[in-house]
Amino acid sequence: MTIHIGAKPGQIADTVLMPGDPYRARWAAQTFLDNAELVNEVRGMLGYTGTWRGHRVTVQGSGMGMPSLSIYANELIRDYGAKTLIRIGSCGGMQPQVKIRDIIIAMTASTLSTPSRGIFRELNFAPAADWGLLRAAVTACEARGIAPHVGGIYSSDVFYDERPDLNDQMVRHGILGVEMEAAELYTLAARHGARALAVLTVSDHLGTGEALPSEDREKSFGDMVEIALEAAFA
Ligand code: HPA
């Protein structure tokens, strides 16, 4: 047990999928894993461990935003020895070619700041995905006829942004989408020698104002879970 995760030693798999929403963690575990067992419910941040095609997998909610994800990712890696962490989540599309329901695979994650900022001081560290996971996720997309967008995303600290000019600069610099967690996940994985990736479904678009109807979210989310699992065990 750690401060925020109630799992016993050995109850967390080496491979962890991390949706922001704990109910999505429950849905993904119950839908895609065999013998899914609840291993964490501290603060309602549900985590399940089961198997997928014989491989042990944990699905653990991260909560929203980098400070929350940082707590879970730190404990998963440092205390439970997790080796592969894949964020599965939603993001806001930023480029015109990025459409609602599209999948973005985040090669890098730009930020204004992360919880790791204190370490780097004046350095602008470049949080990047694990190349092997990224390549495997692209292959998994292509195998199911999905053409993902692969490139940089923006991990913001705010959903309700009072600085739209920052989004404008991200759009201008080719950033595909905005979410709130990946940069810290990539930074922690780099620091502790783990592998990390973020596979994201576009749930809304900052340019057009469109949003994914709630009944469509499940199917798009399902593709993302399977892509993440196939990438983890490629
Ligand atoms: N902004 C930040 N995070 C998000 C968004 C957004 O528009 N959509 C989904 N996650």
Side-chain angles (χ1 to χ4, degrees):
M1 276 177 57
T2 58
I3 294 174
H4 304 93
I5 301 176
K8 298 189 191 81
Q11 281 191 318
I12 300 287
D14 285 357
T15 297
V16 184
L17 304 192
M18 300 188 77
D21 178 351
Y23 291 136
R24 286 273 174 85
R26 179 172 65 193
W27 177 82
Q30 291 176 347
T31 307
F32 296 99
L33 302 188
D34 295 320
N35 305 313
E37 180 194 359
L38 180 70
V39 295
N40 183 48
E41 52 184 336
V42 176
R43 290 177 185 247
M45 198 57 76
L46 305 175
Y48 292 82
T49 297
T51 59
W52 179 79
R53 298 184 185 166
H55 303 285
R56 281 185 89 228
V57 178
T58 295
V59 188
Q60 171 63 56
S62 70
M64 290 180 282
M66 290 184 271
S68 179
L69 174 130
S70 172
I71 289 171
Y72 294 101
N74 260 296
E75 294 180 12
L76 289 166
I77 297 171
R78 293 164 55 174
D79 299 306
Y80 292 98
K83 302 276 187 288
T84 298
L85 299 96
I86 305 182
R87 165 161 159 69
I88 45 175
S90 59
C91 72
M94 296 189 108
Q95 298 294 327
Q97 78 274 17
V98 172
K99 309 292 185 199
I100 301 290
R101 291 185 200 82
D102 282 2
I103 287 194
I104 294 178
I105 300 176
M107 193 153 66
T108 61
S110 296
T111 60
L112 212 49
S113 174
T114 75
S116 295
R117 175 88 180 217
I119 294 181
F120 295 117
R121 300 184 195 199
E122 68 273 38
L123 181 82
N124 290 309
F125 179 72
D130 178 83
W131 163 239
L133 280 180
L134 184 137
R135 180 168 53 180
V138 173
T139 302
C141 285
E142 288 169 352
R144 58 182 59 226
I146 292 171
H149 302 276
V150 183
I153 62 159
Y154 170 38
S155 297
S156 176
D157 283 334
V158 284
F159 189 91
Y160 298 104
D161 202 341
E162 300 285 342
R163 287 277 312 270
D165 56 308
L166 293 175
N167 288 336
D168 294 343
Q169 289 304 336
M170 293 293 98
V171 172
R172 190 172 161 225
H173 288 81
I175 290 297
L176 298 169
V178 55
E179 49 82 88
M180 300 181 67
E181 293 83 13
E184 177 68 359
L185 179 64
Y186 287 4
T187 303
L188 289 171
R191 189 180 311 151
H192 298 294
R195 308 192 300 165
L197 183 68
V199 181
L200 306 165
T201 300
V202 179
S203 61
D204 53 86
H205 199 287
L206 272 62
T208 65
E210 287 170 279
L212 191 62
S214 54
E215 65 270 23
D216 287 9
R217 287 180 190 232
E218 206 161 272
K219 166 75 178 89
S220 313
F221 196 77
D223 282 336
M224 202 164 50
V225 177
E226 290 187 305
I227 289 161
L229 288 166
E230 285 167 19
F233 299 107

